[in-house]
Structure formats: C-alpha cells, structure tokens
Amino acid sequence: MSKIIEGKLLMIDVEYDGAQHTIAMAKSCRLSLSSNTSSLLTKDDNENFDSEEVTGQSWSLETENLIPVKKDPDDIMSFSPLYFLMAKKDAVSVRFVYYAGAKGKETVDKHDWVGTTPMDVVISGKALVTKLSLNGKVKEKATMSATFTGKGSLDVADDSSAGGGGDPS
C-alpha cells in the first residue's frame, strides 16, 4: 500500500524581499484548479446532453494560519508582509510544496518550513494576493486567511512518487 502524504507537510511559499518564505503556522492550505467551458450545443444536437469545450483555465491558492504573538526572525511570512504584497497590486511568485525532508517526523520544525529542505512536489506560478482577512473568535486562537489568484500558467514538477504524474497533455 502506498504511503499517504500528511496534510501538515503541504505548505505555501511566497516570494518576499527576493526570497521564498513559507507562510507561518498554517492550519490548512489548498490549491484549486478549474476549467472554464462554453457550450457547443446546437439545435441539431440531442438537447438532453450538453456539449462543452474548455475555453480557459484558472487556479488559486488559499491558506488559513495562526497568527504569531511575537515576530520571530524565522517567522518571515504572516499578515503584514502579505498586506504589503497585496497593496502593491503586483503578481508574486508562489509555490505549493510538499516538504520531503520532514517525512516521518512527528512535527515539522522551523528548519523544515523555511524552504531549506528538499521538496518532492513543487507547483509554482505567479499570483495576485486577492483576499486577506484576520479572524478572531472568543476562546479561540486568532487566524488569518489569504487567497492568491493565479496569473498565467502553473509549473508542475514531475514526481510520480509523491502523487505527481507529469504533463497531462
């Protein structure tokens, strides 16, 4: 039976000040891909079944993270840097990664998540920070959420051992 990738080892990296940094203290992260379609249905077709063609594709990254109380020098990426990136209105380099160096560990330490560890799966591209929020509920830890909307295509590394399969075309 194949080993299953643990969610805690999937992370989002963002380029800031010329280097890639993992968004600190992630509770969840998600890569979403979608295809836009257009109907090719004509009056001559069987109207019970639609006929579609892909007219475009889009992607986004989403993350929800705890907010550190004190900024540790290694806790590079949290709300403030993301806010500054959003305010610039420029696309930034982002990566959705699986940290191979953390395999089999009970926890992921700072060394693993600041981008110095080898990675099995790297999905990268340029994206805009399109949504950023701070969330706080009574008797719960404060969180922040960020959404990155892709600008252009994704570069997907081929690694069949970690779930990748290469170019689908």
Side-chain angles (χ1 to χ4, degrees), residues 67-78:
I67 302 170
V69 174
K70 179 182 173 215
K71 185 166 173 51
D72 180 314
D74 289 336
D75 290 342
I76 303 295
M77 191 55 62
S78 61

Side-chain angles (χ1 to χ4, degrees), residues 27 75 104 145:
K27 290 181 57 133
D75 290 342
S145 300

Side-chain angles (χ1 to χ4, degrees), residues 9 11 13 20 22 95 97-105 107-122:
L9 302 180
M11 301 184 193
D13 288 355
Q20 291 290 136
T22 301
R95 299 186 307 187
V97 299
Y98 167 59
Y99 282 95
K103 283 182 187 174
K105 290 187 178 180
T107 61
V108 180
D109 61 30
K110 285 183 195 175
H111 178 74
D112 292 325
W113 55 256
V114 294
T116 58
T117 306
M119 293 166 263
D120 280 338
V121 176
V122 178

Side-chain angles (χ1 to χ4, degrees), residues 39-145:
S39 177
L40 297 176
L41 189 64
T42 68
K43 293 186 279 183
D44 299 328
D45 292 328
N46 180 341
E47 292 182 22
N48 291 326
F49 297 97
D50 216 356
S51 179
E52 301 282 325
E53 76 173 344
V54 174
T55 58
Q57 295 180 314
S58 61
W59 60 274
S60 65
L61 293 171
E62 298 171 33
T63 185
E64 181 182 15
N65 307 66
L66 296 172
I67 302 170
V69 174
K70 179 182 173 215
K71 185 166 173 51
D72 180 314
D74 289 336
D75 290 342
I76 303 295
M77 191 55 62
S78 61
F79 182 82
S80 295
L82 290 173
Y83 169 77
F84 295 130
L85 291 171
M86 185 177 193
K88 286 174 75 174
K89 302 178 185 175
D90 292 331
V92 295
S93 293
V94 293
R95 299 186 307 187
F96 191 74
V97 299
Y98 167 59
Y99 282 95
K103 283 182 187 174
K105 290 187 178 180
E106 227 15 70
T107 61
V108 180
D109 61 30
K110 285 183 195 175
H111 178 74
D112 292 325
W113 55 256
V114 294
T116 58
T117 306
M119 293 166 263
D120 280 338
V121 176
V122 178
I123 300 170
S124 58
K126 294 279 191 178
L128 299 167
V129 182
T130 54
K131 187 173 183 182
L132 192 56
S133 63
L134 293 171
N135 313 295
K137 294 181 181 180
V138 174
K139 296 185 179 184
E140 290 187 18
K141 303 294 183 193
T143 60
M144 66 166 213
S145 300

